[in-house]
Amino acid sequence: MTMRWSSWIRPIRKVKTRESQEVLQRLQLFLESDDVIKTPVRILTRFWEDQQCAIGYSELRQIVQDGTVSPEALQLWSQDYSTLVANQFYSVWMDAVKAGAARQPLLDDVPFSFRAQTKGILNWIRDRGAEFVTVCTEEQKRAIATLLTKSIRDHHTVEELSQMIRPCIGLTKEQAKANFRYYHTIATNLRNEHPRMKAESIQRKAQEAAQKYAERQHRQRAMTIAQTESAFAYNYGADESIRQAQAQNLLGEVKKRWCTSGDDAVCEICASLDGMELEMDVDFKIKGKALFRGQHRLPPAHPRCACAVEYIEVERAVSSSSQLEPEINRDIEDIDYFIREHVQGQDISEELKVIEEAINSVPMKVRKELSKGTIIDVGQIGASQYDYRNDIMYVAKNAEVEDVIHEIGHMVENKMLSSAKVNALMDELISHVSVFEIMSDIYEDAAGNPREVFLLKNEKFVSEYQGRLYVYNSIDAFHDDGSLKKEVLMEFISEPFRVYVMEQERLKKDFVEFYELLREVVE
């Protein structure tokens, strides 16, 4: 039996206070902003396009023949989603958290500064990301499974099903079913309207139509995910801002009140919650199982839910002169960093100790900059490295303290140093080098395999490794006019930073140019 839309919608006409209207309006303005509508939607649709392009028809045919998605394919999809979360969706959640914190009417007149890089917030994003990866991977598996039932496989060729599966990658189970029905509707209509049309032509036209329909479905799903995930993070940021203000004694006892738009389009679930007031740590009675810990503490109650929470101070804070003094000094242990496991379940306890020792060795300004969005990915096999574009520091298994400090040096170059000053120092030291000053040597890579490495020899370099050139032959290190390509000298700052931290007096005495360049920004 199909339930009519009107049977689960009921008119709700409740008078809203000015504060609750303001809370809802601010959330709505955020959910309608480009940060929600354009950026995450573009990220997701491109991601699914890349996934579709990455799988070949031989793999699709194998899926059809096996009647299921292999564990290896599922693992690859899970890794894809993990990369998406780490490189792009982390910032989506963090931006929404900050937006929710900044838009609370209760804090409008309070001298409050929100801290986004706290352990609680970083852990929330980590847990939300892990759940997101699991749910999306499982949903993708279920969507493909709908096209691999025996009844469907018995009536379609392997080639035809392979063609039908590809556009459904990234869709939900129900969307995949709808796409399958749409394909058959188009094919049936073509056969009825053009009885002399070849079967191959009918199949091709139906596939083209299903592909275009799938593109619309992907945009629709991307919008649902973008709005829902942004609403989760926005409401979490709002809640966290109130708690931080309470911790700073800027607010007293606070209760939360569920707010709906109050119009005829409010669903039954949210209508039952409208106006409900609870203590901060009490869950709302939302129907259905919580998808992750703490989900029922705040809106949204369901996908695309636009409900918000109004925070009401029921008892003012009791202030004292000592509590009202501005916070000037904060223990260094109070700085939190976003650390993730490269492979879930891997033992990285020793690496975490090394990371802690390395971070405690670098100047405070560097620690604070490291806490501003840099992802520390721990446990990859091979060598440690830094991703400049996405601000990710990969710390390999069995990395040593000096390795981590070296990678932090890349972060310093990327986020703290002036590129103009770095280029000026490069011009001063290496502007007239020639191919004859480049030497090669055989090194072992992280896997123990021998490989040829090219090095620029210079007495003003702090170590041989500082002259490492990332090229396959010495000629590739130069422009056509004979000048050295600066971009291939990628250890130019990271190595001096390592020495600055571990042997500062040597750097100050023997390599004063690098010492002064670094001291100016890190101290």
Side-chain angles (χ1 to χ4, degrees), residues 351-370:
E351 287 75 18
L352 291 177
K353 292 178 184 177
V354 167
I355 291 169
E356 181 180 10
E357 183 178 346
I359 291 177
N360 287 337
S361 301
V362 303
M364 177 57 70
K365 284 179 69 175
V366 177
R367 298 183 212 178
K368 289 182 177 179
E369 195 63 41
L370 191 65

Side-chain angles (χ1 to χ4, degrees), residues 478-508:
F478 294 89
H479 293 290
D480 292 339
D481 63 2
S483 62
L484 187 74
K485 297 177 181 176
K486 297 175 184 177
E487 63 271 18
V488 304
L489 197 63
M490 297 180 67
E491 313 298 343
F492 187 73
I493 294 299
S494 54
E495 268 296 276
F497 178 80
R498 179 186 62 79
V499 178
Y500 183 94
V501 174
M502 304 186 74
E503 305 174 75
Q504 189 170 121
E505 287 304 314
R506 180 169 82 90
L507 192 73
K508 184 176 181 180

Side-chain angles (χ1 to χ4, degrees), residues 23-66:
V23 166
L24 287 165
Q25 183 180 14
R26 293 183 185 189
L27 171 61
Q28 193 60 41
L29 286 173
F30 172 70
L31 294 179
E32 292 173 355
S33 67
D34 287 353
D35 288 341
V36 176
I37 293 178
K38 289 186 177 180
T39 303
V41 171
R42 182 172 64 249
I43 289 171
L44 286 166
T45 52
R46 287 181 178 176
F47 171 78
W48 289 321
E49 287 174 7
D50 290 343
Q51 279 197 319
Q52 291 173 31
C53 293
I55 189 167
Y57 277 112
S58 60
E59 298 170 86
L60 290 172
R61 284 191 290 270
Q62 190 64 51
I63 289 174
V64 175
Q65 290 169 351
D66 294 343

Side-chain angles (χ1 to χ4, degrees), residues 217-316:
Q217 290 177 299
H218 280 108
R219 286 193 294 272
Q220 182 184 43
R221 188 185 182 210
M223 180 64 77
T224 296
I225 290 175
Q227 289 188 345
T228 307
E229 294 300 326
S230 296
F232 273 133
Y234 180 100
N235 282 293
Y236 177 82
D239 181 86
E240 185 66 18
S241 68
I242 299 300
R243 293 173 188 274
Q244 287 189 21
Q246 287 178 309
Q248 297 174 32
N249 206 46
L250 298 172
L251 291 176
E253 182 183 348
V254 175
K255 287 189 176 182
K256 58 187 180 183
R257 176 189 293 157
W258 190 285
C259 298
T260 74
S261 61
D263 58 25
D264 293 351
V266 176
C267 73
E268 188 177 59
I269 294 173
C270 295
S272 67
L273 298 169
D274 191 31
M276 184 179 292
E277 291 185 10
L278 297 174
E279 304 294 330
M280 289 285 286
D281 292 323
V282 178
D283 285 355
F284 288 100
K285 295 182 179 180
I286 301 174
K287 295 179 181 179
K289 181 182 178 182
L291 297 179
F292 56 89
R293 184 168 55 87
Q295 181 198 350
H296 286 179
R297 182 187 296 171
L298 301 163
H302 53 78
R304 294 215 184 192
C305 173
C307 292
V309 161
E310 176 190 355
Y311 293 95
I312 306 162
E313 188 177 26
V314 295
E315 184 177 330
R316 299 187 67 82

Side-chain angles (χ1 to χ4, degrees), residues 300-370:
H302 53 78
R304 294 215 184 192
C305 173
C307 292
V309 161
E310 176 190 355
Y311 293 95
I312 306 162
E313 188 177 26
V314 295
E315 184 177 330
R316 299 187 67 82
V318 178
S319 62
S320 67
S321 58
S322 60
Q323 288 173 317
L324 292 176
E325 291 177 358
E327 183 182 20
I328 298 174
N329 295 316
R330 182 179 289 142
D331 292 338
I332 60 175
E333 291 81 5
D334 201 26
I335 301 177
D336 293 297
Y337 307 91
F338 188 74
I339 297 178
R340 73 181 188 197
E341 300 173 62
H342 189 72
V343 176
Q344 289 188 358
Q346 187 179 30
D347 181 10
I348 56 172
S349 56
E350 292 302 316
E351 287 75 18
L352 291 177
K353 292 178 184 177
V354 167
I355 291 169
E356 181 180 10
E357 183 178 346
I359 291 177
N360 287 337
S361 301
V362 303
M364 177 57 70
K365 284 179 69 175
V366 177
R367 298 183 212 178
K368 289 182 177 179
E369 195 63 41
L370 191 65

